[in-house]
Each structure stands twice: as structure tokens, then as C-alpha cells.
């Protein structure tokens, strides 16, 4: 049996959660809501994180375009995703929600523009 | 000088000002002006590229820019007049605004109601007094955020962060991902300044160490920061010399808190509160000057942008009612910060508010477990809410609907 302590990062309440793995049966306590249970189980089996960063931008007074992943991606792929994004440059204008990189590194997750650029 | 005339003038185009303008339009106001000194709307949110915004309002983890974009689009759809690149220089107590704009020169704006939404600014080095010379490379976390996220410029190679507020934690992660080595985060208090979720996802995830009860005592270097000295602080709050150690670095990032930006309010004669450092407001967000309202971080540092937007909407409703004279302000009662409460917002509520929802925001003084937040009026408990934990960095929001008039001050206790 293994026990792990987590701090839920889903909302600002930051609940302290304890997860117990009893031969594959996961039990979670300390969470205030359901999302915390899901978070702790994910964190134990396959931790995921959102990607938020910038890519290069041409044709605007701003030099970078903020981007965000539509969903969280496996934590272990975070650095490689970032590497690909650092090599990406796009042209203005851009609409919030435009796909900047589709299906990044085969994760099934799109990276989209987090704001519109008109200027 | 050009003179403009509006029903409502909003000063500041961050989330508070945006929400106020959008709400005023929804309530049927025609002539609304939004004044912003930056070249675009959005305020601080445009440099907040990380996610975690709007969980309450949109039930989604948006990035700051995405959250701002939703309101910026609504402002455009509503045909609200916007003046960017326009800095308000003065507000008078009869609601005249003097502003200067690159395109228009000096402007006088007259409004039936004014909403202050200037946000806050970061504390700087001069407010934390560190010894040493004045080299380049000492920056606030928010400036570093703007350089990296908007201007595409890396301000150093190896950083030490002083202060464990949320902005510092977020920037520890951001700098690491951008290839700036973050040596550690140093916090003079014995507990974390920001939210625990930010420690987990910004420090722990990247193996960045947090040093509590430790501060920077000296900055080395003449032209550019070359190193800083850190030391443990004793229980008397003074650095312990024997524990001093020198850390080579070329960047010192300060995340030492925010102060509401109230130069305009002060000059106009708006009454300010000594604890929040923002205007004293009532439940419609009206300040001590009739027709002048305030919303967002200019009132007090709200943690959540959702609360900021909400305060903007309340201010807009207040301003519209004020203009339409629907709100003959009746008797007011004070709100009182009771046991373990640092402050309560708003500071005054209408006593005849029976049946009307009231939103109170408060911060506790010290961390506590298994507590109740109680709203008490004349010995009667009007509302009691349980919390597993109450931490100073996490603002508590209470909503309640009194069933009749209030016959005395409202005290909020957390115990
Ligand atoms: C680094 C950082 C991270 C954050 N992270 C989160 C988070 O993860 N989740 C969350 O919910 N919240 C977060 N917040 C909080 C949230 O961003 C703020 O609460 C919110 O931006 C405050 O909105 P505001 O409209 O009051 O002020 P601001 O966004 O500061 O807007 C004020 C505007 O007024 C303008 N202005 C000021 N003075 C004048 C003048 N004289 N004339 C004309 N214009 C003027 C300014 O240029 C600015 O655009 C974070 C804040 C910061 C700084
Ligand atoms: S368990 Fe629920 S309430 Fe607690 S931090 Fe996670 S999401 Fe928030």
C-alpha cells in the first residue's frame, strides 16, 4: 500500500489531498469537491499540466503572441512541447481561438491563440 | 481644450473597468466612455499568459488574456467609446476629469457618474529598503512578466526572487521555462505569501526551492547586479548576520506586494481606508463623493479576477441607479472587521437592504483551520459559513440576503 500527499491545483482553495493505492484501488480523501479526486488520481497515474507560453509574432507592435493548450498535456512532454512552440512564429492579425499548432507532438491537444491581435 | 460629455466615464480599462462599462451598456446607458492610459484595453491581464482565471464566472481555466478578450469583444460589440493612450491627470469632486492623450491633447471630460478602476501597482525596492548600490537588474515581478510575455525580452540569466506572492511564484516558473535559472525564492515571513497551488505548480514542479524566514540583506554590483546576500531573520524580524550567504546572480526579482493606485482618488478628496489603502465604499461601490464609484484592485487587492469583474458590475449598477435617481441612499450601517478579520469590503451597507443580495469580501489576519465566518448584526447571527482552512492569501467572499432592515453595524468574525 502506498500513500501520497497532494495539494490540489484546480482552484484557489488548494486542498490538501491524501491518496492511497491499495493494490490498484485508489482512495482519495481531503478533497472538497469532485475535481480534487480526479486531480489526485491523475496526478498519481499520469500527471498533466496546461501549457501557457508565447510564440513569435510578426506584423504587430507586440513581439509575442500568448498561446494556451485546449486541454492539459502529459507533464513529461511539457518541455518538448515548449521547445516546438519556441520555434514557432505567426503573422498578425490573429483571432483568439485560432489554432497555432494542431495536435502538438501527437498528444491530440491543439495549441490556440489566447488573444486577438489587430494592432 | 476639447470638452467631452458622458453619462458614465470609467477610468482604467482592466477587468474592473471593462466589466463596469459592459454592464452599464447592458443596463441601457448610451453614453459611456472608457479611458485607458496603455495603448490597448485589458489591464494587467494582457501580461498574465498563465491559466487560472475565470473559474467562478466561466467554469473554465482561462488565461488572463483569454479572460480579458471576452470583455474586450463585448465592449466592441456594445459600441462603447474607448480612449486608449489617454492618461487621466486629475479628477475633481464635481466629476470633471482632466486627461491627456497623444492624439487629442488635453481633454476635459464631464460625466454624471465616474467609476474609478485604476487597479494597483507593485511595491518597489524603495518600499522594502535593501542596502547596497543602485545597479541595473533589480526589477518587480510584474515588470519581468511584461518584458518576457509581451516585449519578448529576457532581463537576465540567473535570478533570485524576493517575496513569495503569487506573481513571484508564477514568474519563477515562467523564467525557468524561458531558460533563466531561478536560484530560489526568499520570503521574509514564516509562511507562503501566495496560494499553495502556485507553490506546487510553479516551484515544486520545477525543483525551485523556497526559503522561508529569509530575506535579501544586500545587493552587490555597480552597473549590473552581480550577487545578493541573503540571511535568515530571527523572531525579532532582524536578519541574523552569522547566517548570511552570498548568491551570484544578475537579476533580483521583487514580489513584495501590491498597492492600490489612488493618487487621483486622493487628490479628488475621496476618503481612503487605512488598511485596504483604497476608497471607502458602500454596497453599491460608491465612494465618499456622491456619483464617484470604484471597482477592482483600486479598492483593495482582490485575489480573483472574477471578484474584480463582479465589483465592476456592482459599481455600474450603482452608477446607473445614481444617474436615474433610483437610489435615494437611506440609512447606512458600517461593516466591522471582527475577530481574526483584517478588513471587510464594502465598509458601509444600506440598512434598508432587506431582500437585496449583499456581497462581502474579507481577508483573515492569521491562518486558521476548521473555522466559521459569521455575519453578526445586533447580536444576531445572519449568516454562518464553514471553512476547512482560512489563509490570509485567500480572500473570503460571502453572499447573503438579509430578510429585513439592518438595525446596527454588521460585524464579521472568523473563528
Ligand atoms: C501577476 C499577476 C497574476 C495574477 N494571477 C491571477 C490568477 O491566476 N487568477 C486570478 O483570478 N487573478 C489573478 N490576478 C489578479 C487579477 O489580474 C487582478 O485582480 C485584476 O487584473 C485587477 O483588475 P483591475 O481592473 O482592478 O486592475 P488592472 O488590471 O491593473 O487595470 C487597471 C487599468 O487602469 C489603467 N489606469 C491606471 N491609472 C490610470 C489613469 N490615471 N488613466 C488612465 N488609465 C489608468 C491601467 O493602465 C490599467 O490598464 C493576477 C494579477 C497579477 C498582477
Ligand atoms: S478539491 Fe475542489 S475545492 Fe479543493 S482545491 Fe481542488 S478543486 Fe478546489
Amino acid at each position: 500500500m502506498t500513500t501520497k500527499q497532494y495539494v490540489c491545483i484546480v482552484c484557489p482553495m488548494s486542498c490538501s489531498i491524501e491518496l492511497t493505492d491499495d493494490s490498484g484501488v485508489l482512495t482519495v480523501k481531503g478533497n472538497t469537491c469532485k475535481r480534487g479526486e480526479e486531480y489526485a488520481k491523475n496526478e498519481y497515474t499520469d500527471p498533466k499540466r496546461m501549457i501557457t507560453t508565447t510564440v513569435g509574432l510578426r506584423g504587430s507592435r507586440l513581439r509575442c503572441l500568448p498561446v494556451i493548450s485546449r486541454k492539459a498535456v502529459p507533464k513529461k512532454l511539457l518541455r518538448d512541447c515548449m521547445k516546438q512552440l519556441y520555434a514557432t512564429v505567426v503573422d498578425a492579425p490573429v483571432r483568439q481561438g485560432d489554432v497555432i499548432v494542431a495536435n502538438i507532438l501527437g498528444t491530440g491537444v491543439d495549441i490556440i491563440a489566447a488573444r486577438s491581435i489587430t494592432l | 481644450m476639447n470638452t467631452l460629455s458622458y453619462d458614465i466615464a470609467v477610468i482604467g480599462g482592466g477587468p474592473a473597468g471593462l466589466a463596469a462599462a459592459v454592464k452599464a451598456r447592458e443596463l441601457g446607458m448610451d453614453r459611456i466612455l472608457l479611458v485607458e492610459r496603455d495603448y490597448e484595453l485589458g489591464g494587467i491581464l494582457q501580461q498574465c499568459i498563465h491559466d487560472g482565471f475565470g473559474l467562478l464566472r466561466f467554469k473554465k481555466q482561462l488565461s488572463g488574456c483569454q479572460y480579458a478578450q471576452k470583455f474586450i469583444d463585448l465592449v466592441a460589440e456594445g459600441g462603447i467609446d474607448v480612449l486608449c493612450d489617454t492618461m487621466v491627470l486629475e479628477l475633481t469632486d464635481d466629476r470633471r476629469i482632466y486627461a491627456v492623450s497623444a492624439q487629442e491633447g488635453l481633454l476635459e471630460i464631464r460625466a454624471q457618474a465616474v467609476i474609478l478602476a485604476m487597479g494597483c501597482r507593485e511595491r518597489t525596492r524603495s518600499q522594502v529598503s535593501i542596502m547596497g548600490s543602485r545597479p541595473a537588474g533589480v526589477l518587480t515581478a510584474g515588470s519581468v512578466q511584461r518584458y518576457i510575455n509581451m516585449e519578448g525580452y529576457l532581463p537576465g540569466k540567473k535570478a533570485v526572487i524576493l517575496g513569495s506572492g503569487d506573481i513571484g511564484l508564477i514568474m519563477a516558473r515562467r523564467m525557468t521555462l524561458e531558460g533563466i535559472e531561478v536560484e530560489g525564492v526568499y520570503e521574509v515571513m514564516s509562511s507562503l505569501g501566495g496560494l499553495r497551488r502556485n507553490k506546487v505548480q510553479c516551484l515544486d514542479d520545477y525543483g525551485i526551492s523556497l526559503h522561508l524566514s529569509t530575506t535579501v540583506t544586500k545587493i552587490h554590483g555597480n552597473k549590473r547586479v552581480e550577487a545578493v546576500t541573503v540571511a535568515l531573520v530571527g523572531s525579532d524580524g532582524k536578519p541574523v548576520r552569522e547566517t548570511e550567504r552570498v548568491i551570484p546572480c544578475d537579476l533580483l526579482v521583487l514580489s513584495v506586494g501590491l498597492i492600490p493606485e489612488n493618487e487621483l482618488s486622493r487628490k479628488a478628496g475621496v476618503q481612503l481606508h487605512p488598511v485596504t489603502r483604497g476608497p471607502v465604499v458602500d454596497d453599491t461601490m460608491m465612494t465618499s463623493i456622491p456619483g464617484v464609484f470604484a471597482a477592482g484592485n483600486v479598492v483593495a487587492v482582490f485575489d480573483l479576477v472574477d471578484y474584480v469583474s463582479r465589483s465592476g458590475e456592482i459599481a455600474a449598477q450603482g452608477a446607473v441607479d445614481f444617474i436615474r435617481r433610483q437610489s435615494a441612499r437611506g440609512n447606512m450601517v458600517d461593516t466591522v472587521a471582527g475577530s481574526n478579520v483584517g478588513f471587510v469590503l464594502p465598509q458601509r451597507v444600506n440598512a434598508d437592504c432587506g431582500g437585496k443580495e449583499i456581497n462581502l469580501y474579507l481577508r483573515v489576519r492569521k491562518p486558521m483551520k476548521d473555522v466559521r465566518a459569521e455575519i453578526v448584526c445586533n447580536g444576531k447571527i445572519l449568516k454562518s459559513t464553514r471553512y476547512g482552512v482560512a489563509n490570509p492569501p485567500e480572500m473570503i467572499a460571502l453572499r447573503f440576503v438579509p430578510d429585513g432592515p439592518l438595525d446596527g453595524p454588521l460585524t464579521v468574525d472568523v473563528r
Side-chain angles (χ1 to χ4, degrees), chain B residues 11-17 35-38 42-45 48 50-53 86-88 117-120 145 167 261 264 295-298 302-306 308:
Chain B
I11 308 176
V35 187
E36 169 57 53
R37 67 182 168 195
D38 207 340
I44 279 294
L45 294 181
C48 294
H50 60 282
D51 65 313
F53 295 81
T86 306
M87 168 103 179
V88 173
M118 290 91 74
C120 48
Q145 189 175 44
I167 315 177
E261 180 137 355
L264 287 178
N297 279 0
V298 77
F302 286 88
D303 309 330
L304 288 186
V305 73
D306 310 74
V308 167

Side-chain angles (χ1 to χ4, degrees), chain B residues 78-127:
Chain B
I80 293 165
D81 286 355
V82 176
L83 282 177
C84 283
D85 276 318
T86 306
M87 168 103 179
V88 173
L89 303 174
E90 194 183 340
L91 167 71
T92 65
D93 57 8
D94 57 353
R95 301 189 298 273
R96 271 174 301 141
I97 292 169
Y98 295 96
V100 61
S101 122
Q103 294 85 24
E104 315 273 330
L106 201 58
L107 290 172
E108 180 180 318
I109 302 156
R110 296 182 188 194
Q112 297 192 61
V114 172
I115 300 178
L116 307 173
M118 290 91 74
C120 48
R121 64 164 163 262
E122 296 176 280
R123 270 175 216 273
T124 57
R125 180 177 168 186
S126 61
Q127 281 139 328

Side-chain angles (χ1 to χ4, degrees), chain A residues 42-92:
Chain A
N42 264 328
E43 202 62 9
Y44 183 66
T45 50
D46 179 19
K48 292 196 169 90
R49 293 289 184 269
M50 293 291 285
I51 295 180
T52 60
T53 186
T54 57
V55 298
L57 182 63
R58 272 186 302 243
S60 164
R61 75 192 278 177
L62 289 163
R63 292 180 52 196
C64 350
L65 170 73
V67 296
I68 185 167
S69 54
R70 267 199 225 275
K71 283 192 309 205
V73 300
K75 198 168 147 184
K76 52 181 188 289
L77 292 178
L78 210 68
R79 291 274 183 168
D80 290 335
C81 289
M82 293 296 259
K83 221 181 259 162
Q84 181 177 348
L85 288 169
Y86 284 135
T88 306
V89 183
V90 298
D91 289 301

